[in-house]
Amino acid sequence: MIGIIGVVVSLGLLMYLAYRGVSVLILAPVLALLATLAGGGASILATYTEIYMPGLANFIRQFFPIFLLGAIFGKVMDDSGAAKSISHFIIKKVGTTKSILAVVLSTAILTYGGVSVYVVAFAVYPIGATLFRESGIPKRLLPASIGLGSFTFTMTALPGSPQIQNAIPMQFFHTDLYAAPILGTIAAIIIFIWGMYWLNRQVKKAATKSEGYGEHKESFKMFETDNLPSFFNSLLPILVVFALNALLLYIIFPRMNTSFLQSPPFNTTITRVQGTWSLLIALVAGIIVCVFVNRKTLLSAKESINSGAMGSLLPIMNTASEVGYGNVIAALAAFTTIQSVLVDISPNILVSQAITASTLAGITGSAAGGMSITLGVMGETFLQRAHEIGMSPQVLHRVVALGASGLDTLPHNGAVITLLTITGLTHKQSYKDFGMVTIIGPVIAIPVVIILAGFGIV
């Protein structure tokens, strides 16, 4: 019982102190060792070096290339003006009368195209703020609009998304980015419809009160369209990422002779690695294309690439630290009881998986972190049960990704705090609407997906 209390206290402190701004790089090992002490662990040092660090290192081994290339791709798209060009084009076509839709769509296309959620926020905010001011829409709704397009359906629901949250399950279920395409598309539609309904409802309520944009000290220069690359040159790198990823995944790799992978020193199969390989090659090609076609507007490719590479380090280290924390918790005797409760919380493994991933994502404040802990500890159990009942691993992939995208955007989430900082708003001003579109949408979509999966839909 003391061990379980220790785990609960440790998790509670992780959530609270992360919200207070303490680095996860410090919190994760310290609180993992606190839980170890409460659980009667034999050696703190042994736990740190033999359990925590291997978990952290293994995550980096598996996912660092994706974090690295994704961050570089997002940086060259931003620095070249391509991200802003795409946003401006979409907003211009949709029109100022549909400002909410314009911001959501422009954000969604960038995120679905592989630009990280952090880069998207920087790229879209100046355009969105200008548009909201001209349309008389309260600025407090801007974080929710950006969040709907970047933190929800394009991150974990739409099949083919190159975001890390959609890539992590590939390693555990031997799936690919396009896993469960029908279920993912349905979930994306539900989340999008709900989010747009809520935001438009809030716009109408604000209009009746004559609220307007509000008085704000803006920290950005007025958006200018001078020296932006053309829309085609801006969109081309994204199209290359999608097309090449699909080409490699479904045509080239399946036709290659990869039998050598089954022999030492590789000891693997193409089905285990083709999802990752396809994404890595596609991102490299996207970076090269973006640098080449936008060379006139990209001031320094070297500086952008170096900056993107450095920018990938903190996100992966934060997530890997949380995975190391999860490894320690999983090794405690008390966790056997907790795991049994989580796995058996429902006779339906999809319900158990979704609840576990969402809970841990909420505690860690990270969809990637919560998902990695869930799959690292219970992934094999979920996969085995799925095989026993004849369920496709693709369904597991999509449900765990959706589950992790529910409670991950609680107030202590790092990306939420960053977005509010960029927009110059506070939790009090904007979090209610942000939470309604980023949390409630996935929560509505997950039961629908689970029900449809029960009828064999993938």
Side-chain angles (χ1 to χ4, degrees):
M1 185 63 183
I2 295 178
I4 294 177
I5 293 175
V7 171
V8 173
V9 170
S10 173
L11 290 171
L13 286 173
L14 178 64
M15 184 173 179
Y16 173 74
L17 293 176
Y19 175 69
R20 300 295 296 179
V22 181
S23 172
V24 173
L25 296 178
I26 299 172
L27 286 178
V30 170
L31 294 178
L33 298 180
L34 174 64
T36 300
L37 283 175
S43 171
I44 290 179
L45 287 176
T47 298
Y48 180 75
T49 61
E50 306 307 314
I51 301 177
Y52 176 84
M53 285 305 299
L56 179 150
N58 187 54
F59 182 86
I60 293 175
R61 178 188 68 81
Q62 289 180 313
F63 298 108
F64 177 65
I66 297 176
F67 273 86
L68 174 66
L69 294 175
I72 293 174
F73 179 68
K75 188 61 176 173
V76 295
M77 286 287 290
D78 185 31
D79 287 355
S80 66
K84 290 184 175 66
S85 177
I86 292 172
S87 299
H88 175 66
F89 178 87
I90 294 169
I91 288 172
K92 183 178 179 181
K93 291 298 181 183
V94 173
T96 57
T97 58
K98 298 179 180 178
S99 300
I100 295 286
L101 178 61
V103 171
V104 172
L105 287 181
S106 59
T107 307
I109 289 176
L110 290 172
T111 308
Y112 191 49
V115 181
S116 76
V117 294
Y118 295 97
V119 174
V120 165
F122 280 105
V124 175
Y125 166 56
I127 311 173
T130 302
L131 187 63
F132 273 38
R133 184 193 291 122
E134 293 175 354
S135 305
I137 297 175
K139 184 184 178 183
R140 61 181 175 81
L141 295 177
L142 186 54
S145 302
I146 295 175
L148 175 59
S150 59
F151 288 64
T152 58
F153 62 95
T154 55
M155 189 174 78
T156 56
L158 278 178
S161 173
Q163 296 295 328
I164 187 65
Q165 293 82 0
N166 189 38
I168 288 175
M170 297 192 305
Q171 300 286 344
F172 298 91
F173 300 137
H174 312 148
T175 49
D176 56 59
L177 298 176
Y178 298 89
I182 298 176
L183 294 178
T185 302
I186 291 173
I189 293 172
I190 292 172
I191 295 170
F192 174 77
I193 291 175
W194 162 255
M196 290 303 301
Y197 161 75
W198 178 264
L199 290 172
N200 285 323
R201 176 174 176 267
Q202 296 305 98
V203 169
K204 291 178 181 178
K205 289 176 66 175
T208 59
K209 299 178 182 178
S210 300
E211 180 178 344
Y213 181 76
E215 296 295 328
H216 302 279
K217 291 184 178 180
E218 306 292 11
S219 58
F220 65 92
K221 295 180 180 179
M222 292 296 293
F223 177 69
E224 298 177 356
T225 59
D226 297 340
N227 300 321
L228 286 181
S230 68
F231 175 71
F232 176 77
N233 283 359
S234 301
L235 190 62
L236 185 59
I238 289 177
L239 297 178
V240 168
V241 171
F242 271 102
L244 187 55
N245 180 64
L247 183 67
L248 289 165
L249 190 61
Y250 295 115
I251 298 178
I252 296 178
F253 283 143
R255 298 185 181 185
M256 290 176 59
N257 181 7
T258 56
S259 57
F260 69 92
L261 291 174
Q262 301 176 35
S263 304
F266 306 111
N267 300 316
T268 187
T269 62
I270 189 61
T271 56
R272 289 175 178 264
V273 298
Q274 63 182 4
T276 300
W277 287 7
S278 299
L279 178 56
L280 295 181
I281 295 173
L283 285 172
V284 169
I287 293 168
I288 294 172
V289 170
C290 183
V291 170
F292 179 74
V293 301
N294 298 313
R295 59 191 180 279
K296 292 182 179 180
T297 56
L298 185 61
L299 297 179
S300 174
K302 182 181 73 173
E303 290 184 9
S304 294
I305 291 172
N306 287 343
S307 179
M310 293 302 296
S312 71
L313 298 181
L314 184 58
I316 192 171
M317 285 304 300
N318 280 340
T319 306
S321 297
E322 292 164 349
V323 173
Y325 172 87
N327 265 30
V328 173
I329 299 299
L332 299 176
F335 189 75
T336 302
T337 303
I338 297 173
Q339 181 179 8
S340 177
V341 171
L342 290 174
V343 172
D344 298 329
I345 198 168
S346 169
N348 188 318
I349 61 170
L350 296 180
V351 174
S352 300
Q353 187 186 49
I355 291 176
T356 302
S358 190
T359 301
L360 292 177
I363 290 170
T364 61
S366 166
M371 192 189 315
S372 297
I373 294 173
T374 299
L375 297 179
V377 174
M378 291 175 279
E380 290 187 9
T381 300
F382 289 132
L383 185 59
Q384 180 181 352
R385 291 197 175 187
H387 285 318
E388 290 173 356
I389 62 176
M391 178 180 290
S392 170
Q394 291 190 45
V395 179
L396 296 178
H397 177 130
R398 193 54 55 203
V399 169
V400 76
L402 284 168
S405 70
L407 298 181
D408 69 308
T409 51
L410 288 177
H412 63 294
N413 176 282
V416 174
I417 295 171
T418 300
L419 176 59
L420 291 176
T421 301
I422 292 170
T423 57
L425 296 166
T426 65
H427 281 79
K428 182 179 180 180
Q429 291 172 307
S430 295
Y431 186 76
K432 173 188 173 183
D433 298 300
F434 183 91
M436 288 300 295
V437 300
T438 62
I439 295 176
I440 303 302
V443 168
I444 295 173
I446 290 171
V448 176
V449 167
I450 292 175
I451 292 171
L452 293 176
F455 290 97
I457 297 174
V458 178

